[in-house]
Amino acid sequence: MTELKRVAIVGSARIPFARGGTAYADETNLSMLGTVLGGLADKYGLKGEKVDEVIAGAVINHSRDFNLAREALLDAGLSPRTPGTTMQIACGTSLQAALVLAGKIASGQIESGIAAGSDTVSDSPIVFGPKFQHRLLNANAAKTTGDKLKAFTKGFSFGELTPVAPSVNEPRTGLSMGQHCELMAKEWGITRQEQDALAVASHRNAAAAYDEGFHDDLLVQCAGLVRDNNVRADANMEKMATLKPAFDKASGHGTLTAGNSTPLTDGASGVLLASEDWAKARGLPILAYLTTGRVAGNDFAHGEGLLMAPTIAVSEMLERAGLGFADIDYFELHEAFAAQVLCTLKAWKDPAYCKDVLGRDSVLGEIDPTKINVKGSSLAYGHPFAATGARILGLTAKLLSTESRKRALISVCTAGGMGVAALVESAQ
């Protein structure tokens, strides 16, 4: 049996994230992803070079995006011999891409790979309803001009021209992610004050990371933007308290607001992974190692909590690795909503949940807050769905390379009731 190789995280690059409709209003998934891959190529001397595989994706897609990963890598100047695979697992897309590549590197199938993601709400596809869609298809299929005109006009009503707005609602429940998270917050007794405090901490940690220059070598300028435009160094509890509920506006008990929820965001990010031999042969750094991961799902349509699947993924991953929370130095928990993080933390120390849902005889335990998202996370930086996993993985690798700590845990919740988790270990 072939001995598994260690999977090195060489480094990462991302464009600054931007709130929807702002700096990247004229950008596309392809242009942003191409900029990121080009940035990685420049940073690590890969222009014209073959990388064994690029896996990338986007959650909000146009049909014109075609094979997004392949087109972006060609735009970025990688060798045309580099294959590109487009995949999507909602907000876990680029972290799952990294895990897929890591498995191939570890088993010796490939020596190098780039995991990436891109998403834009500023360039969301606007489509027509099925009746007008079929009318256009039938007209296109007609042979003669007269038949085309007949297919297009017969029974036509101007109501068919009403566009179908993009929807973020879960198809199995009809509820948005925010509405689902409101239900979770109520179930777990998460207060508005707790959520606001977590959001303020995220912004302050992110702002401090900028001040200390942590992001200087992680960002690639795009469309004139040089830093994330959602980070608020002046975030405070007083300002947070003025915001009204965003998802439960009628009951008088809503706790999720625009301040303690991630904004709709545009952006892209990528991470370069490799075998140790490949990296060393090119004189490239090894910041950290991606050691293992886990993907899980739950029965959210029947009450398990849409964004609670990371509790399962983390539990199963740690059990297989023979580790516990005491073995983890940093916890990078994606902040889709402050309430999601807080529900997760509460579940891991709840005996009934750990027994009934996680199948554990004892609780996973409590996590020291000073170990969580020490450089800020999605509430501050923003959340371009498919790009978030690579942002977190790149940040985590750099964090471990600059600190005398051994191990970090990553957790990302996704739409569709899934969660993606990973473990990263220091190369020092």
Side-chain angles (χ1 to χ4, degrees):
M1 184 176 180
T2 303
E3 183 178 350
L4 294 180
K5 299 179 180 180
R6 301 183 80 184
V7 180
I9 303 173
V10 174
S12 67
R14 69 178 179 92
I15 60 174
F17 292 172
R19 294 174 72 94
T22 60
Y24 300 150
D26 296 325
E27 299 297 318
T28 66
N29 282 329
L30 180 58
S31 68
M32 293 190 298
L33 184 57
T35 299
V36 163
L37 297 182
L40 277 172
D42 289 336
K43 189 174 181 179
Y44 297 110
L46 300 177
K47 287 288 187 180
E49 296 293 318
K50 177 181 181 284
V51 175
D52 285 341
E53 187 170 5
V54 173
I55 301 182
V59 176
I60 303 174
N61 282 298
H62 285 272
S63 58
R64 67 168 185 252
D65 287 335
F66 195 51
N67 183 348
L68 180 65
R70 172 66 173 171
E71 296 303 314
L73 74 87
L74 292 173
D75 285 350
L78 295 177
S79 167
R81 292 186 177 272
T82 301
T85 301
T86 296
M87 65 167 289
Q88 195 255 83
I89 177 176
C91 310
T93 295
S94 50
L95 183 56
Q96 173 72 335
L99 294 178
V100 171
L101 289 169
K104 291 185 175 185
I105 293 170
S107 62
Q109 296 178 60
I110 62 175
E111 295 294 324
S112 61
I114 295 174
S118 179
D119 254 305
T120 169
V121 295
S122 299
D123 186 36
S124 298
I126 305 297
V127 300
F128 294 105
K131 190 171 182 179
F132 192 69
Q133 175 190 358
H134 292 142
R135 183 180 299 281
L136 291 174
L137 292 172
N138 291 335
N140 184 64
K143 301 298 184 184
T144 69
T145 302
D147 288 342
K148 289 179 182 292
L149 186 61
K150 182 178 179 181
F152 189 82
T153 59
K154 185 178 179 180
F156 172 79
S157 69
F158 283 101
E160 295 176 30
L161 297 178
T162 303
V164 178
S167 174
V168 294
N169 290 358
E170 289 287 334
R172 295 189 176 275
T173 64
L175 300 179
S176 70
M177 191 177 286
Q179 290 170 319
H180 272 284
C181 200
E182 275 282 13
L183 296 176
M184 289 165 46
K186 291 178 173 64
E187 177 185 357
W188 287 96
I190 306 300
T191 68
R192 166 74 180 271
Q193 289 71 27
E194 290 174 304
Q195 295 173 57
D196 287 352
L198 191 148
V200 168
S202 186
H203 280 279
R204 290 181 176 175
N205 286 346
Y210 265 108
D211 290 344
E212 68 189 31
F214 183 86
H215 293 290
D216 288 354
D217 64 345
L218 299 180
L219 295 173
V220 179
Q221 180 177 320
C222 182
L225 194 63
V226 296
R227 62 181 290 166
D228 308 288
N229 70 9
N230 189 65
V231 177
R232 300 287 183 266
D234 60 350
N236 59 64
M237 293 294 286
E238 290 73 25
K239 290 181 179 178
M240 288 286 180
T242 65
L243 301 175
K244 296 180 179 180
F247 302 102
D248 178 4
K249 302 177 182 180
S251 75
H253 302 291
T255 57
L256 275 70
T257 70
N260 57 42
S261 308
T262 51
L264 293 172
T265 314
D266 304 333
S269 60
V271 178
L272 175 60
L273 305 174
S275 67
E276 291 179 296
D277 290 343
W278 190 92
K280 290 175 180 177
R282 288 158 179 77
L284 297 177
I286 296 176
L287 301 184
Y289 294 98
L290 179 55
T291 58
T292 190
R294 190 76 170 176
V295 183
N298 71 3
D299 192 7
F300 73 95
H302 297 95
E304 284 196 337
L306 177 70
L307 305 180
M308 294 299 288
T311 62
I312 303 170
V314 167
S315 176
E316 292 176 349
M317 179 180 69
L318 291 177
E319 184 175 19
R320 289 173 66 88
L323 300 171
F325 284 167
D327 301 303
I328 309 298
D329 298 300
Y330 293 114
F331 293 82
E332 288 296 322
L333 310 180
H334 163 47
E335 301 165 342
F337 304 89
Q340 187 278 330
V341 176
L342 295 166
C343 287
T344 296
L345 295 175
K346 206 164 186 178
W348 280 328
K349 60 182 181 180
D350 182 81
Y353 186 89
C354 287
K355 180 179 181 180
D356 298 340
V357 179
L358 305 184
R360 287 179 166 267
D361 294 330
S362 58
V363 298
L364 263 167
E366 191 161 356
I367 299 173
D368 181 351
T370 64
K371 295 182 177 182
I372 300 173
N373 299 342
V374 297
K375 301 297 183 183
S377 193
S378 304
L379 287 169
Y381 297 119
H383 175 36
F385 307 124
T388 285
R391 175 193 67 76
I392 295 175
L393 183 58
L395 181 151
T396 302
K398 179 172 181 181
L399 179 63
L400 287 174
S401 75
T402 58
E403 302 285 344
S404 58
R405 304 297 175 91
K406 182 179 180 182
R407 188 180 289 116
L409 181 151
I410 296 172
S411 170
V412 178
C413 62
T414 88
M418 295 181 291
V420 186
L423 285 176
V424 181
E425 294 190 358
S426 171
Q428 299 182 43

